[in-house]
Amino acid sequence: MPLLGAIAAVGVVLLPGTSFPGVLMALASVASSFTFTWYFVGTGRPLAILLSDTLPKVLAALIAAALLYQGLPLSVYPLLMMSASVLGVPVAAILARAPLVALTRLTWRPVVEALRHQSVALRGRATSALYIALPVALVGMVSTESVAVFSAIERLQRLLLAVLQSVPTAMQNWVGSAIQGTERYKAIRKALSANGALSWISLLGFFLMGPLAIGILFSGKISVSGAMCLMAGVVIALTTSSRATGGLGLVAYGDLRAIANSATVGAALGIPTILVGASLYGVVGALGGEIIAEACVLGVQVRRLHTHMAKERDLYCISDLGPRSWLR
């Protein structure tokens, strides 16, 4: 909550020409973090996530779309999305049986203490945001003529990744609850195999359907080549795979430092390669930079996870336990 004022001020400075809608959108983005989602993931309650987070936001988006179609100003969308996020808090508190008065009495001390304990994970998330959220801006800095096509691909790419995120998220409680050596090993291998298959399916799907989907979404005004969609599909596959190796495998072993280190490598290599690639080869070069970043992230995570799993396999004398994961 205290960040809302700071975000509003930043929005006014960065978006002086369109300050009001821009500030509202910034506030709506911050308000989207007012959620109990990860608590419900940890307790294995997907229905609570649907009722307190997903459903209110979907309804708000549908209502905003209808109002915008009727000619209302753009500010309607962030206002409704912010309202959905804020109203979702009491709903989540009721479902979690957490008294709202406890939330209102929350002081800075436990917040700072929680951030200190989660500093490694926070560093990883903040660093990964650099090469995940900045590609369009980076392309705009060095190749303005490529921005329209690249942003169209990026938008569809992120939309598909948001949908695919539901798979590793659904597996977190299952993998995390397997605390015994052999059970954890089995769960991680199955999760890796499932997400590995999903990676190949998403790559093929984006390659085949990407040009058609972008043509429909952007009313035929933007066309992309098969090579661009193939490269974007590779980015999606690598990202989906790293969500399994990091968010499922390494988290199960408590190795958050490896995830943070992989994000640092991805940002250190991704930002310059996207800039150089976009300046030399436009959209294809920018996508190549994203591939390099995601491949390096996955490589760091795979190497560390293989070490953990090899130790556990040797410790518990685990032999072949079913279908081979792509990690071995």
Side-chain angles (χ1 to χ4, degrees):
M1 287 293 287
L3 290 176
L4 290 178
I7 294 298
V10 171
V12 171
V13 173
L14 296 180
L15 302 167
T18 55
S19 58
F20 187 62
V23 169
L24 286 179
M25 197 65 242
L27 293 176
S29 299
V30 176
S32 66
S33 63
F34 300 165
T35 174
F36 282 52
T37 297
W38 289 112
Y39 170 77
F40 291 133
V41 167
T43 54
R45 299 176 61 187
L47 182 59
I49 298 175
L50 176 66
L51 295 175
S52 65
D53 189 69
T54 307
L55 191 58
K57 291 177 180 177
V58 169
L59 290 175
L62 291 174
I63 295 171
L67 294 176
L68 290 173
Y69 183 76
Q70 296 298 321
L72 271 72
L74 183 61
S75 303
V76 166
Y77 176 74
L79 279 173
L80 284 172
M81 295 305 294
M82 186 163 42
S83 300
S85 298
V86 173
L87 292 175
V89 173
V91 175
I94 292 172
L95 293 172
R97 297 179 180 177
L100 284 175
V101 66
L103 298 179
T104 61
R105 292 175 180 173
L106 190 63
T107 62
W108 274 105
R109 188 170 184 176
V111 174
V112 173
E113 188 70 12
L115 290 175
R116 187 178 68 82
H117 285 298
Q118 299 297 325
S119 59
V120 176
L122 183 61
R123 175 169 68 88
R125 294 299 295 270
T127 307
S128 63
L130 294 176
Y131 64 87
I132 292 175
L134 290 181
V136 174
L138 295 175
V139 172
M141 291 170 59
V142 296
S143 180
T144 54
E145 67 277 7
S146 303
V147 172
V149 175
F150 182 76
S151 61
I153 295 174
E154 183 79 3
R155 186 170 300 179
L156 185 61
Q157 184 176 282
R158 295 302 161 189
L159 178 63
L160 181 56
L161 283 170
V163 174
L164 295 173
Q165 177 66 51
S166 61
V167 176
T169 299
M171 291 182 173
Q172 282 181 330
N173 184 60
W174 167 58
V175 174
S177 62
I179 58 175
Q180 297 297 325
T182 55
E183 292 179 4
R184 180 169 58 186
Y185 187 89
K186 289 179 183 180
I188 292 174
R189 286 193 59 185
K190 290 178 181 177
L192 292 175
S193 297
N195 282 273
L198 186 64
S199 299
W200 284 104
I201 294 171
S202 60
L203 190 163
L204 183 62
F206 201 94
F207 171 59
L208 295 176
M209 302 302 297
L212 176 62
I214 289 175
I216 294 173
L217 287 174
F218 296 93
S219 305
K221 295 180 179 179
I222 294 179
S223 59
V224 297
S225 65
M228 293 177 183
C229 286
L230 177 61
M231 296 180 74
V234 172
V235 174
I236 293 171
L238 291 171
T239 305
T240 302
S241 299
S242 65
R243 286 172 173 176
T245 55
L248 294 176
L250 290 174
V251 167
Y253 287 110
D255 195 350
L256 299 182
R257 190 171 298 279
I259 299 176
N261 291 341
S262 70
T264 302
V265 171
L269 294 176
I271 293 175
T273 52
I274 290 173
L275 283 171
V276 174
S279 65
L280 295 176
Y281 303 106
V283 176
V284 172
L287 290 170
E290 286 190 323
I291 290 174
I292 291 173
E294 294 294 349
C296 291
V297 170
L298 181 61
V300 172
Q301 292 183 0
V302 165
R303 181 175 180 181
R304 188 60 182 165
L305 181 58
H306 183 270
T307 300
H308 285 299
M309 295 186 71
K311 289 180 179 179
E312 196 159 66
R313 186 173 62 247
D314 295 340
L315 179 63
Y316 293 97
C317 301
I318 302 172
S319 59
D320 186 52
L321 295 170
R324 290 185 177 271
S325 76
W326 51 266
L327 187 66
R328 293 183 59 190

